[in-house]
């Protein structure tokens, strides 16, 4: 099978790494890829948000199966365009991607399907939104409707902050994303992520994870795309996972099917858990980054079989078989991230790191220049390890981190603190 992975971050390196281990994989391409991915797959620069350009590439390389990494190509309709041309593709149609692209749409689906989530109201003008905030009081959560790269959410602990957020969003701080605003009840609890593969009808759980969104130790400072993650999430016990399937995942899939838009791909449910009950915070329609890195480390080669079965509508009877182990990933980022940072610093020491089924340094923002590895992004490396316990996974991962020589980079030293 000739396979193409779209994307070029740590998530895609982990996907490529898992897929390459499967004997079914005869040829592997990645667009655009990065320096780490280039060691396993043939990388090419390509505008992956252009359905026509991706299709031409697929035809030229005689690709049999396409795996879409990030949400942007899904929102742009790349997956459905490929499918219309007979290409087996993992990832939802544009309509399915709305679950991530529109918070209001997700809320509507939840209401229709009876999925437990925060109470909410939807606004298209600032005056009504302000009045609602005044009436509800704080804490309260203000969200720009639409993709805002994780920056469109303000969890306001007081009314003044909430009103400021409403004004900022209607003033166009998030572009067109702010033209509509969802205001939600504040949910207390512990957050965890739940991942299922879907083929339109059937869903197969493929693991749970928790990430660290804040840049600083002790979960302080500004939000980032994620500074580290581990799997499984201890708070999501097997019993709670069963309930999440029954109360959240299956009702959602049935509602989507009823509307004529069955969901195929990975559904990533962000959950808030309190006193043994889970409520939905949000859906994403792609793997989390860096959560994918820990999921792939635990799944290995079977990830390809499962994604292929999802794309073929063949998940019935499938299950993920994972060893009773734990994985952790530590994100190494450029100093300054998530604010402004320098690009172009040289990273060394990577050649000393093991590359095994238990230890892998996934690349995110890197490129290779004259034989050197250069940092080209905010999040740059995802040092990932597996162990029989979370502690063992953590010790192995931090040991690897200590081998990396990169004075322009930093990482959090407390990934997994809550679980450990
Ligand atoms: P979202 O983009 O919807 O995932 O929101 C980003 C983050 O904001 C979540 O991961 C939560 O930490 C927080 N958040 C969002 N909605 C709520 C809510 N209703 N109550 C409490 N925290 C929330
Ligand atoms: N790490 C959070 C996300 O991928 O959305």
């Amino acid at each position: 099978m000739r396979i193409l992975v779209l994307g070029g971050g740590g998530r895609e390196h982990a996907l490529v790494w898992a897929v390459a281990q499967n004997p079914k994989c005869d040829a592997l391409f990645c667009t655009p890829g990065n320096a780490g991915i280039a060691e396993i797959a043939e990388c090419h620069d390509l505008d992956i948000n252009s359905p026509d350009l991706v299709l031409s590439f697929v035809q030229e390389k005689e690709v049999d199966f396409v795996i879409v990494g990030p949400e942007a190509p899904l929102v742009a309709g790349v997956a459905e365009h490929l499918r219309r041309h007979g290409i087996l593709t993992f990832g939802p149609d544009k309509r399915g991607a709305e679950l991530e692209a529109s918070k209001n749409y997700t809320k509507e689906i939840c209401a229709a399907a009876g999925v437990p989530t925060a109470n909410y109201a939807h606004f298209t003008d600032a005056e009504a939104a302000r009045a609602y905030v005044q009436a509800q009081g704080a804490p309260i959560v203000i969200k720009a409707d639409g993709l805002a790269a994780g920056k469109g959410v303000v969890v306001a602990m007081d009314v003044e902050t909430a009103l400021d957020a409403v004004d900022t969003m209607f003033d166009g701080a998030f572009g067109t994303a702010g033209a509509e605003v969802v205001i939600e009840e504040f949910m207390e609890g512990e957050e965890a992520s739940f991942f299922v593969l879907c083929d339109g009808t059937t869903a197969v759980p493929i693991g749970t994870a928790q990430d660290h969104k804040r840049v600083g130790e002790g979960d302080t400072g500004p939000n980032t795309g994620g500074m580290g993650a581990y799997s499984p999430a201890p708070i999501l016990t097997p019993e709670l996972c069963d309930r999440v399937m029954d109360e959240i995942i299956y009702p959602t899939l049935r509602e989507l099917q009823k509307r004529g838009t069955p969901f195929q791909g990975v559904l990533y449910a962000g959950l808030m858990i309190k006193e043994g009950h889970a409520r939905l915070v949000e859906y994403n329609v792609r793997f989390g980054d860096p959560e994918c890195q820990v999921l792939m480390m635990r799944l290995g080669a079977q990830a390809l079989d499962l994604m292929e079965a999802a794309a073929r509508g063949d998940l019935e009877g499938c299950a993920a078989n994972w060893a009773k182990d734990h994985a952790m990933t530590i994100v190494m980022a450029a100093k300054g991230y998530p604010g402004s940072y320098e690009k172009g610093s040289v990273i060394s020491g990577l050649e000393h790191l093991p590359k095994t089924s238990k230890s892998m340094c996934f690349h995110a923002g890197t490129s290779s220049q004259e034989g050197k590895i250069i940092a080209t992004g905010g999040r740059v490396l995802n040092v990932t390890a597996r162990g029989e316990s979370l502690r063992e996974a953590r010790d192995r991962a931090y040991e690897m981190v200590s081998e990396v020589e990169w004075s322009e980079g930093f990482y959090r030293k407390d990934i997994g603190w809550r679980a450990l």
Side-chain angles (χ1 to χ4, degrees), residues 40-56:
I40 326 177
E42 190 180 312
C43 294
H44 292 269
D45 264 332
L46 181 73
D47 176 3
I48 60 170
N49 298 324
S50 159
D52 283 327
L53 291 177
V54 175
L55 178 64
S56 306

Side-chain angles (χ1 to χ4, degrees), residues 11 100 211 213 224-226 268 282 284 286-291 379:
R11 166 179 52 210
E100 175 159 356
D211 74 343
K213 288 197 169 71
T224 69
Y268 156 2
E282 62 161 352
N284 293 306
R286 36 126 192 128
F287 285 103
D289 188 349
E291 291 88 336
R379 291 189 296 169

